[in-house]
Amino acid sequence: MSPKVTRTRQEKALETKSAIYQSAERLFKKYGFEAVNVEDIVKEAKVSKGSFYVHYPSKDALIALFIKDYVVRVDENYKKHITTLPKDMTTSEVLLSLVGKIAEVIEEDLGRHNMKTLYRIQLTDASPSAALAYGRELYQLFHGLIEKGLTEKTLHSDLSPEETAKHFVMGYRGLVYEWCVREDTFSLKEEALKHYQMLLYGLTSP
């Protein structure tokens, strides 16, 4: 087999994989994770069902990859959000602004049903997802802000910056879970701001 033929087949395989991913992304955004099946994706991508399984072992595996890529993009947006805030804002005010921004993204972009699917995948998959990893950029943002506040003594905690940041993240997961299981008028942003205002009051009290 000539190198030229091999390269062409590799290029076609990459094109097929990309077409599947992009088609799934369009459908996921329009209908949500649960409402879309493999047949919908391959029809949208104009490829065979067999081609799907050559590149992705399951729909859940594709969703996990989509979330991994999404986390990278959205965490970059969180970083940009912080850079747009006034320089004279206190660390507590910046943290609350970040908390509100995260809620907006989850409520308006991902949505309740997609978050439920993400939790299901996380609970059934033994490997930690990008959304849960403490190495993700969002955790680093919390860590950096908390460390800054502790260094400036505008925040007070007996825990290390690392542990305090982990509790910030764990608290948010609990709020998102509550939002997912309740189908009433529970507003993630409103409840998140209440929760973190209370938490920050404890951290700013001498």
Side-chain angles (χ1 to χ4, degrees):
M1 184 179 296
S2 70
K4 184 176 181 180
V5 173
T6 302
R7 185 168 57 252
T8 301
R9 287 182 178 176
Q10 290 173 342
E11 289 171 352
K12 287 182 178 179
L14 288 173
E15 288 173 2
T16 299
K17 185 175 184 179
S18 177
I20 293 169
Y21 182 97
Q22 291 175 13
S23 296
E25 184 176 21
R26 286 193 296 272
L27 293 172
F28 288 155
K29 287 182 175 180
K30 187 173 183 179
Y31 301 109
F33 294 140
E34 288 296 332
V36 176
N37 57 39
V38 173
E39 287 77 9
D40 297 325
I41 295 169
V42 298
K43 182 179 179 180
E44 176 78 8
K46 297 180 175 58
V47 300
S48 69
K49 195 171 182 179
S51 295
F52 178 94
Y53 290 107
V54 166
H55 299 288
Y56 304 100
S58 65
K59 188 185 87 169
D60 279 359
L62 178 54
I63 291 172
L65 179 60
F66 175 81
I67 290 297
K68 180 181 178 181
D69 294 341
Y70 178 83
V71 161
V72 172
R73 295 196 302 271
V74 77
D75 282 3
E76 189 61 33
N77 287 335
Y78 293 146
K79 286 175 64 178
K80 290 179 181 177
H81 171 72
I82 289 176
T83 65
T84 65
L85 299 176
K87 300 298 182 184
D88 59 350
M89 285 181 72
T90 66
T91 300
S92 293
E93 289 171 335
V94 174
L95 283 166
L96 284 175
S97 181
L98 177 58
V99 163
K101 181 65 176 178
I102 295 168
E104 288 175 5
V105 169
I106 293 174
E107 286 186 305
E108 299 170 12
D109 192 15
L110 271 177
R112 182 182 273 113
H113 293 297
N114 283 340
M115 284 304 305
K116 286 182 177 180
T117 302
L118 176 57
Y119 274 170
R120 176 183 61 76
I121 293 171
Q122 290 170 345
L123 290 169
T124 56
D125 190 349
S127 58
S129 74
L132 286 175
Y134 283 115
R136 68 173 283 192
E137 193 67 41
L138 178 59
Y139 167 75
Q140 298 302 326
L141 285 176
F142 274 120
H143 175 272
L145 289 168
I146 290 166
E147 187 172 47
K148 178 176 181 288
L150 293 174
T151 300
E152 296 174 345
K153 300 191 183 304
T154 56
L155 299 179
H156 310 278
S157 176
D158 292 332
L159 300 175
S160 67
E162 291 80 8
E163 285 299 313
T164 306
K166 281 185 179 180
H167 280 279
F168 262 70
V169 174
M170 285 190 286
Y172 219 114
R173 287 185 190 137
L175 285 163
V176 174
Y177 176 81
E178 181 76 7
W179 175 68
C180 282
V181 299
R182 292 178 56 175
E183 296 290 344
D184 56 13
T185 57
F186 184 96
S187 165
L188 178 59
K189 184 173 181 179
E190 288 180 12
E191 296 302 326
L193 289 174
K194 289 178 189 176
H195 175 83
Y196 282 96
Q197 282 170 346
M198 180 175 62
L199 180 59
L200 285 166
Y201 176 79
L203 289 173
T204 53
S205 298

